[in-house]
Amino acid sequence: SMYEMGIRTGNFVDDSFLLSPQRARNLCKGIVEAGLKMSFACQARVDDACRQPDVLGEMNEAGFTAIEFGVEAGNQSVLNWIGKGLGIEQALEVVEIAKRAGFVRVGCGMILGHPVDTRQTVEDSIQLSLRLIEVGADNIALAICTPFPGSDIAENADQYGLKIRSRDWSRYNFREAVMDTVDLRAEEIEELYLDGLYRIHLACKSKSSKEGG
């Protein structure tokens, strides 16, 4: 087995790890019964974790030390548009829940440049990112909304008023903007993205410095 080979860390590649709380519980029980002294990481939806907060404690006891939540936006109207099914306060709450459960590293994913984003809603997302760091998040994975082939925004670009400016797939990397939205040009999205990265970096650095001191 991997454990016998000396592997002591693992990552569950499942962006809805807590979709079935019972499955998560069964897995944790199996890990404990097998005596696996390993550290695990996973991803989960905010709403799933908020509905079953006790599961996070069981996960931590089984060796889960890192978790990332997909928040995706810091403006309620944008969250509603993309169908996340969560509120701003839930995003803040879930970070605190995970920290109380014992997770060493809690991250959140945030996306800028949604079809309905404006400069103000992007600023809202950056502001929420900074608040998430304040309440305990260790990392914010900032990304640019990208119209991958087959996705809703790619298939319905005209309906959403999008102009896809590049078919160079090497640029579809979440760091480069390849489309204009109704309110934002690709260049503006990249500018806002870089500004967000810088501000988030400073916030994480400041938090780390305070905790170290």
Side-chain angles (χ1 to χ4, degrees):
S1 68
M2 292 188 297
Y3 188 78
E4 292 171 338
M5 292 169 61
I7 296 174
R8 294 294 181 267
T9 60
N11 179 34
F12 287 86
V13 184
D14 178 351
D15 56 10
S16 298
F17 186 80
L18 291 175
L19 183 62
S20 170
Q22 191 56 53
R23 182 194 67 164
R25 285 193 171 94
N26 291 341
L27 178 61
C28 291
K29 181 180 178 181
I31 291 172
V32 172
E33 291 179 347
L36 299 181
K37 303 300 182 182
M38 297 177 64
S39 295
F40 300 103
C42 69
Q43 295 175 306
R45 287 177 57 96
V46 173
D47 51 347
D48 289 338
C50 285
R51 278 195 295 268
Q52 300 282 342
D54 55 311
V55 178
L56 293 177
E58 295 179 42
M59 290 169 60
N60 185 249
E61 291 175 6
F64 284 82
T65 59
I67 191 168
E68 181 174 310
F69 298 103
V71 178
E72 320 306 13
N75 177 278
Q76 193 61 56
S77 295
V78 177
L79 284 170
N80 294 343
W81 189 87
I82 62 179
K84 283 300 291 184
L86 64 93
I88 299 297
E89 293 306 315
Q90 279 182 296
L92 296 164
E93 177 188 2
V94 80
V95 170
E96 296 177 321
I97 290 172
K99 280 297 185 178
R100 286 198 301 269
F103 280 80
V104 176
R105 189 165 184 79
V106 178
C108 296
M110 192 72 71
I111 296 176
L112 308 182
H114 293 286
V116 294
D117 259 330
T118 64
R119 294 188 78 91
Q120 182 56 57
T121 62
V122 168
E123 176 61 22
D124 291 343
S125 292
I126 294 172
Q127 287 294 331
L128 178 59
S129 297
L130 300 178
R131 290 179 66 192
L132 289 166
I133 293 169
E134 288 178 1
V135 299
D138 301 286
N139 178 62
I140 304 295
L142 203 61
I144 292 177
C145 187
T146 305
F148 286 101
S151 65
D152 176 55
I153 57 175
E155 295 297 311
N156 299 289
D158 291 341
Q159 177 184 333
Y160 298 141
L162 308 176
K163 179 183 178 182
I164 298 178
R165 295 180 36 184
S166 175
R167 300 292 182 181
D168 177 357
W169 309 128
S170 68
R171 296 188 60 205
Y172 283 51
N173 52 31
F174 301 111
R175 301 185 306 276
E176 297 181 73
V178 296
M179 68 180 185
D180 296 334
T181 67
V182 173
D183 290 289
L184 298 169
R185 291 178 292 106
E187 292 81 3
E188 292 178 277
I189 294 172
E190 288 189 1
E191 173 191 323
L192 294 168
Y193 168 72
L194 291 174
D195 175 65
L197 281 180
Y198 178 68
R199 291 161 65 186
I200 289 169
H201 169 72
L202 289 182
C204 288
K205 186 176 180 180
S206 175
K207 175 187 174 183
S208 177
S209 177
K210 290 178 181 177
E211 291 177 347

